[in-house]
Structures are given as C-alpha cells and as structure tokens.
Amino acid sequence: MEQFIYLKDVVTLAFDQEKCVGCGMCTVVCPHEVILLADGKARIANRDACMECGACAQNCPPAALSVDAGVGCAAAVINSALGRKDSACSCVIDT
C-alpha cells in the first residue's frame, strides 16, 4: 500500500515498547500500516503516515499505544468542510 504523509512530525501517536505484549492487534486495525511486528513486538514503521484515527490505541490490550484521535488532518478537513473554522488545524487552508 502506498503511504500518504499528512504533515511531518506532528502526529500525536506514541508507543511504549515495554508495555507491548506482541499481540499484533495494532497491525490488524491500522488502515495505513503505520505499525509493524518485529521480533515479537510492535514498532512504529512510519509515524508520519498516521491519520490519528485511534484504532490502534483502542485495540491495544496493554495500552502500549496512545494517540489523540480526532485531532489530525482527517478531522480538520471534515470540520472545515462543515464550516467549523475553529475546529480546523493549520493543514487546512481557506480559499
């Protein structure tokens, strides 16, 4: 799958490798293949491809992953399209 980059170095995705039990649920639910399993543990392969949907954190039994879901570009674009200008982030440009 081709990976899309939203904005560099702004994603809220965080990972605590010590908590990871290697179940792989995060790799199953991540729509952009941001997380991979390596040597029995998850690892973030491409943080900038994360769209901050929160699926990984919601499905991580030991809570090794966290993300502020709904603060990324997807939410900003939707809020902007709905006219919610105060809810858009700097990646949305008014025309």
Side-chain angles (χ1 to χ4, degrees):
M1 169 192 261
E2 181 180 346
Q3 293 204 335
F4 295 98
I5 304 298
Y6 295 97
L7 292 173
K8 290 284 226 187
D9 301 321
V10 297
V11 175
T12 61
L13 177 64
F15 174 61
D16 184 341
Q17 189 168 10
E18 300 221 356
K19 289 183 180 178
C20 180
V21 296
C23 70
M25 282 303 299
C26 54
T27 65
V28 172
V29 298
C30 179
H32 288 182
E33 299 175 349
V34 171
I35 305 162
L36 302 174
L37 279 182
D39 299 322
K41 296 272 187 170
R43 72 172 181 83
I44 297 175
N46 188 353
R47 232 176 133 259
D48 292 328
C50 177
M51 64 184 232
E52 297 182 314
C53 67
C56 60
Q58 254 185 333
N59 289 282
C60 182
L65 288 153
S66 64
V67 65
D68 292 336
V71 299
C73 287
V77 169
I78 291 167
N79 284 326
S80 180
L82 293 173
R84 299 176 189 154
K85 301 298 181 197
D86 294 336
S87 299
C89 72
S90 61
C91 63
V92 177
I93 300 168
D94 277 339
T95 55

